Amino acid sequence: MTTPTSQTQPVEASALPQTMRANILKSQGEMAMETLPLPQIDADQVLVQVAAVGVCGSDVHYYEHGRIGPYVVDHPLILGHELSGRITAVGSAVDPARVGSRVAVEPQRPCRTCKQCKAGRYNLCPDIKFYATPPVDGAFAEYVTIQSDFAYDIPDSVSDEAAALIEPLSVGLWACERAEIRPGSRVLIAGAGPIGIIAAQAARAFGATEIYISDIAEDRLAFALQHGATHALNAKTDSVEGLDVDAFIDASGAPQAVRSGIKAVAPAGRVILVGLGADDVELPVSYIQNREIWLSGVFRYTNTWPLAIQLIADGKVDLDILVTGKFPLAESEAALKAGKQPGQLKAVVYPGR
C-alpha cells in the first residue's frame, strides 16, 4: 500500500475565501503570482482545493515555447493538469455529502453529446475543454472547478502526490489498453522518463512478462529496472530490431526510436505513439505493411481513473517513487525548470503551502 506523504485538510464552506492565489504564465518564459476571484461553480461541478499538481512536459513546452501545435498561449494562462485535492463546495445538482472528500481530478470536460462522446471516445470530442490547454486555465492555483463525476474519491492510503499523478498513469494505462497488453505479453518501451516508467508499471500490472525499456541515460535505465522494466537497453549501443515483441510503446518522441521500435515488433503486433516529437516522421512503411502491424497514436485517455485508483491502492503501481522535486505555488517556475536537472523525474507543486 502507498503511504500518503501529504493530505489537504477540510475547509468549512462558510470559511471559503473570495479570492485565491494562482501562478500564471503571462507570456513565453514569464510566470507571475496573482490574486484572482474564486472560481464560480456550475450546478454539476465541485470546487476543489488543490493539494498537489504534477509538472507535465506539456506545461514545460508551453512555458518555453508558448505553444504546442495549434494551441497557442496568446493570453495569460494557468498551467498544470495533473492534480488532486479536496472538495470544498458543490453545485446545486451535486450531493452536498461530497464536501470534504479527497479526490483525484480528471482534468477535462467533453461535450457528452457529439458522435465521439456517444461512442465512448470522449477524449476525441472536438469541443473538449482540457486544463492548461489554451484558452482553458489549469491547476497552478489554490482552487479549481470540475464536473462532479470527473472528481474521483480516493482512499486514505493514496497520497496527494500519487492521486495527482493518476493523470500521467492514465496515459500509460490507455497506451497499454490500445496496445492490447495482456498476461504473457512482451513489450518494448522507448524512453525511460516519467511516462516510460509509468507505462512499464502499467504493462506489468496488465500481465506483461517481458518489458524492455530503452533510453540514452543509464541512471534512468537503472531506475526503470527497479520499477517495472525487466530489461534495459542503451539506445546508443543496443539494437532493438528483431526483438519481435508483441507491442512497442514510444514514450520518447525521437524519430529514430520510433523507426527502430517499429522494426522490433512481431507480425500482427501493435505500435503505440505516445511521445511528443516532430509533426512528421519517416516510417518503415513496407515493414508495417508486410507484417500487418497495427499503428496508433494516443490522445489522452477515457475511463481510466477507477482502474488507476485501484492499481495504486492495491500496490500494483507506485507513483510516489517518481516524485523528485517539491515546490510551493510561488516557485512554480522553478518546478517547470526542474526536469532539466540530473536525477529529476517528476516535480510537484503544492498550491496550499
Side-chain angles (χ1 to χ4, degrees):
M1 300 286 268
T2 303
T3 301
T5 57
S6 65
Q7 291 187 9
T8 52
Q9 298 301 312
V11 174
E12 294 293 333
S14 59
L16 287 174
Q18 297 300 306
T19 61
M20 69 173 186
R21 298 182 308 148
N23 205 324
I24 301 175
L25 178 63
K26 305 292 289 185
S27 61
Q28 183 177 337
E30 180 189 358
M31 301 283 291
M33 288 290 293
E34 290 192 6
T35 299
L36 304 175
L38 206 66
Q40 296 297 305
I41 313 172
D42 292 343
D44 63 345
Q45 290 184 322
V46 294
L47 180 70
V48 176
Q49 182 186 16
V50 181
V53 189
V55 174
C56 176
S58 64
D59 297 318
V60 177
H61 203 87
Y62 281 127
Y63 171 73
E64 293 181 343
H65 303 286
R67 68 181 300 157
I68 295 177
Y71 301 105
V72 180
V73 181
D74 54 10
H75 71 283
L77 179 73
I78 302 175
L79 297 173
H81 61 264
E82 304 173 359
L83 71 144
S84 65
R86 189 182 294 272
I87 295 175
T88 56
V90 300
S92 59
V94 180
D95 185 352
R98 295 216 68 194
V99 173
S101 298
R102 294 180 61 239
V103 293
V105 172
E106 182 173 352
Q108 53 188 347
R109 181 174 188 169
C111 77
R112 303 177 190 255
T113 60
C114 72
K115 180 179 180 180
Q116 298 297 336
C117 284
K118 287 186 174 181
R121 299 184 293 264
Y122 64 80
N123 59 318
L124 302 180
C125 171
D127 297 317
I128 198 165
K129 295 178 173 62
F130 193 88
Y131 275 26
T133 298
V136 181
D137 282 329
F140 283 180
E142 291 180 308
Y143 293 87
V144 299
T145 56
I146 194 71
Q147 277 55 54
S148 179
D149 61 326
F150 274 16
Y152 297 85
D153 290 343
I154 54 173
D156 289 341
S157 61
V158 176
S159 70
D160 289 336
E161 292 83 357
L165 298 186
I166 286 174
E167 198 280 338
L169 173 57
S170 287
V171 175
L173 293 175
W174 190 238
C176 287
E177 285 189 28
R178 293 188 63 76
E180 294 191 346
I181 306 300
R182 52 177 58 95
S185 290
R186 301 175 66 247
V187 186
L188 168 65
I189 299 167
I195 291 295
I197 292 169
I198 284 172
Q201 291 198 44
R204 181 182 62 187
F206 275 46
T209 52
E210 290 185 59
I211 303 168
Y212 296 84
I213 194 162
S214 66
D215 203 291
I216 60 174
E218 288 292 346
D219 59 335
R220 289 197 169 191
L221 289 173
F223 188 86
L225 282 175
Q226 295 174 346
H227 302 287
T230 60
H231 300 77
L233 302 170
N234 189 304
K236 290 182 178 179
T237 58
D238 299 324
S239 175
V240 300
E241 295 183 19
L243 282 177
D244 273 3
V245 293
D246 300 300
F248 165 55
I249 298 173
D250 178 69
S252 72
Q256 183 56 46
V258 173
R259 288 191 290 268
S260 298
I262 290 172
K263 291 186 177 181
V265 177
R270 295 196 162 219
V271 173
I272 308 297
L273 304 181
V274 180
L276 292 175
D279 290 336
D280 296 294
V281 176
E282 182 179 335
L283 300 177
V285 175
S286 62
Y287 188 93
I288 295 170
Q289 289 177 322
N290 294 341
R291 293 198 165 201
E292 292 193 351
I293 291 171
W294 191 91
L295 186 149
S296 175
V298 159
F299 189 68
R300 298 171 184 156
Y301 32 69
T302 60
N303 300 311
T304 50
W305 259 252
L307 173 60
I309 292 168
Q310 190 64 55
L311 290 175
I312 298 168
D314 290 347
K316 294 182 178 179
V317 169
D318 187 352
L319 300 179
D320 290 304
I321 50 94
L322 297 172
V323 179
T324 51
K326 300 183 178 184
F327 300 84
L329 182 62
E331 296 178 15
S332 297
E333 189 166 10
L336 290 166
K337 297 177 179 178
K340 297 185 182 300
Q341 300 171 7
Q344 290 292 317
L345 279 174
K346 201 72 179 176
V348 173
V349 173
Y350 300 86
R353 295 186 183 178

PDB file of all heavy atoms in Angstrom, residues 36 80 86 109 159 199 317 329:
ATOM      1  N   LEU A  36      -6.747  36.108  -7.781  1.00  0.00           N
ATOM      2  CA  LEU A  36      -7.897  36.027  -8.676  1.00  0.00           C
ATOM      3  C   LEU A  36      -9.165  35.742  -7.875  1.00  0.00           C
ATOM      4  O   LEU A  36      -9.102  35.230  -6.752  1.00  0.00           O
ATOM      5  CB  LEU A  36      -7.695  34.906  -9.697  1.00  0.00           C
ATOM      6  CG  LEU A  36      -6.439  34.960 -10.569  1.00  0.00           C
ATOM      7  CD1 LEU A  36      -6.362  33.705 -11.427  1.00  0.00           C
ATOM      8  CD2 LEU A  36      -6.452  36.206 -11.449  1.00  0.00           C
ATOM      9  N   GLY A  80      -0.770  23.458 -15.554  1.00  0.00           N
ATOM     10  CA  GLY A  80      -0.988  22.374 -14.603  1.00  0.00           C
ATOM     11  C   GLY A  80      -2.280  21.607 -14.854  1.00  0.00           C
ATOM     12  O   GLY A  80      -3.365  22.201 -14.830  1.00  0.00           O
ATOM     13  N   ARG A  86      -9.162  18.412  -2.405  1.00  0.00           N
ATOM     14  CA  ARG A  86     -10.302  18.105  -1.540  1.00  0.00           C
ATOM     15  C   ARG A  86     -11.481  18.980  -1.944  1.00  0.00           C
ATOM     16  O   ARG A  86     -11.328  20.182  -2.184  1.00  0.00           O
ATOM     17  CB  ARG A  86      -9.941  18.350  -0.075  1.00  0.00           C
ATOM     18  CG  ARG A  86     -10.997  17.841   0.902  1.00  0.00           C
ATOM     19  CD  ARG A  86     -10.626  18.146   2.342  1.00  0.00           C
ATOM     20  NE  ARG A  86      -9.454  17.429   2.790  1.00  0.00           N
ATOM     21  CZ  ARG A  86      -9.472  16.211   3.331  1.00  0.00           C
ATOM     22  NH1 ARG A  86     -10.620  15.560   3.454  1.00  0.00           N
ATOM     23  NH2 ARG A  86      -8.354  15.642   3.743  1.00  0.00           N
ATOM     24  N   ARG A 109     -13.308  18.361 -19.840  1.00  0.00           N
ATOM     25  CA  ARG A 109     -14.767  18.471 -19.903  1.00  0.00           C
ATOM     26  C   ARG A 109     -15.222  18.242 -21.344  1.00  0.00           C
ATOM     27  O   ARG A 109     -15.161  19.142 -22.172  1.00  0.00           O
ATOM     28  CB  ARG A 109     -15.235  19.840 -19.425  1.00  0.00           C
ATOM     29  CG  ARG A 109     -16.757  19.985 -19.451  1.00  0.00           C
ATOM     30  CD  ARG A 109     -17.223  21.295 -18.846  1.00  0.00           C
ATOM     31  NE  ARG A 109     -18.670  21.318 -18.724  1.00  0.00           N
ATOM     32  CZ  ARG A 109     -19.356  22.243 -18.049  1.00  0.00           C
ATOM     33  NH1 ARG A 109     -18.698  23.217 -17.434  1.00  0.00           N
ATOM     34  NH2 ARG A 109     -20.667  22.202 -17.972  1.00  0.00           N
ATOM     35  N   SER A 159      -1.637   8.821  -1.542  1.00  0.00           N
ATOM     36  CA  SER A 159      -1.139  10.153  -1.221  1.00  0.00           C
ATOM     37  C   SER A 159      -1.664  11.193  -2.201  1.00  0.00           C
ATOM     38  O   SER A 159      -2.122  10.873  -3.303  1.00  0.00           O
ATOM     39  CB  SER A 159       0.393  10.166  -1.253  1.00  0.00           C
ATOM     40  OG  SER A 159       0.866  10.037  -2.583  1.00  0.00           O
ATOM     41  N   ALA A 199       4.442   3.659 -18.017  1.00  0.00           N
ATOM     42  CA  ALA A 199       3.962   2.670 -18.985  1.00  0.00           C
ATOM     43  C   ALA A 199       4.496   1.281 -18.655  1.00  0.00           C
ATOM     44  O   ALA A 199       3.789   0.279 -18.810  1.00  0.00           O
ATOM     45  CB  ALA A 199       4.370   3.076 -20.400  1.00  0.00           C
ATOM     46  N   VAL A 317       0.972  -0.448  -8.669  1.00  0.00           N
ATOM     47  CA  VAL A 317       1.653   0.684  -9.309  1.00  0.00           C
ATOM     48  C   VAL A 317       2.099   1.629  -8.204  1.00  0.00           C
ATOM     49  O   VAL A 317       1.337   1.898  -7.273  1.00  0.00           O
ATOM     50  CB  VAL A 317       0.717   1.414 -10.296  1.00  0.00           C
ATOM     51  CG1 VAL A 317       1.337   2.725 -10.755  1.00  0.00           C
ATOM     52  CG2 VAL A 317       0.395   0.533 -11.494  1.00  0.00           C
ATOM     53  N   LEU A 329       3.598  26.934  -4.453  1.00  0.00           N
ATOM     54  CA  LEU A 329       2.991  27.570  -5.623  1.00  0.00           C
ATOM     55  C   LEU A 329       3.833  28.716  -6.157  1.00  0.00           C
ATOM     56  O   LEU A 329       3.976  28.885  -7.377  1.00  0.00           O
ATOM     57  CB  LEU A 329       1.585  28.068  -5.266  1.00  0.00           C
ATOM     58  CG  LEU A 329       0.778  28.712  -6.389  1.00  0.00           C
ATOM     59  CD1 LEU A 329       0.523  27.710  -7.509  1.00  0.00           C
ATOM     60  CD2 LEU A 329      -0.540  29.266  -5.847  1.00  0.00           C
TER      61      LEU A 329
END
